[in-house]
Amino acid sequence: MPKMKLVALTRPLPGREDEYHEWYNTKHLPELVNKFGMAGAQRYKLAAKLMGRDENEFLAIYDIEADDPMAFLGAMGTAAQSGELTQSDAQDMGTCYTALFTEMGERVVPDA
């Protein structure tokens, strides 16, 4: 089964940071991981900007294994539209970037 990474670059709306982090950590990540059988997910905070103009300071990486990437995304979209996933209006949807990547080549690790 192909391994994939779903990445989401996001940020909260100004003044709604606490609400955004509470929703993301206690609702959004657990719902996605448990509902869609993901291997796991983790969030990160921007430490240093090296290149580009992206305004988002938070990254979430979801570990996924699925035979059909488009069917997987379709199931996520259907769940979101039907209200099965808890939504938040504390996230700045104008800057959000989400993409699904499939594995390409072997993982490189240090020489033994």
Side-chain angles (χ1 to χ4, degrees):
M1 191 173 314
K3 292 182 181 180
M4 298 175 277
K5 299 284 186 190
L6 178 67
V7 297
L9 292 163
T10 62
R11 72 178 187 182
L13 290 171
R16 310 236 355 236
E17 292 85 358
D18 291 344
E19 179 184 349
Y20 162 81
H21 292 303
E22 174 71 18
W23 163 75
Y24 219 115
N25 293 333
T26 66
K27 300 273 192 266
H28 193 60
L29 283 182
E31 284 180 358
L32 289 179
V33 168
N34 291 303
K35 178 159 187 59
F36 298 102
M38 295 179 184
Q42 188 170 5
R43 291 184 70 211
Y44 301 86
K45 181 177 172 43
L46 180 67
K49 192 177 286 191
L50 304 177
M51 292 175 50
R53 296 186 179 150
D54 190 272
E55 301 174 27
N56 296 297
E57 61 182 309
F58 298 98
L59 166 70
I61 301 176
Y62 304 83
D63 301 311
I64 300 164
E65 291 186 24
D67 287 323
D68 184 345
M70 298 316 289
F72 179 84
L73 291 176
M76 284 183 58
T78 298
Q81 292 297 318
S82 70
E84 292 177 56
L85 300 175
T86 305
Q87 302 296 319
S88 173
D89 61 357
Q91 178 174 307
D92 184 346
M93 295 305 289
T95 65
C96 180
Y97 170 82
T98 305
L100 182 66
F101 295 86
T102 59
E103 245 181 10
M104 185 178 154
E106 296 297 317
R107 181 172 169 81
V108 175
V109 296
D111 295 333

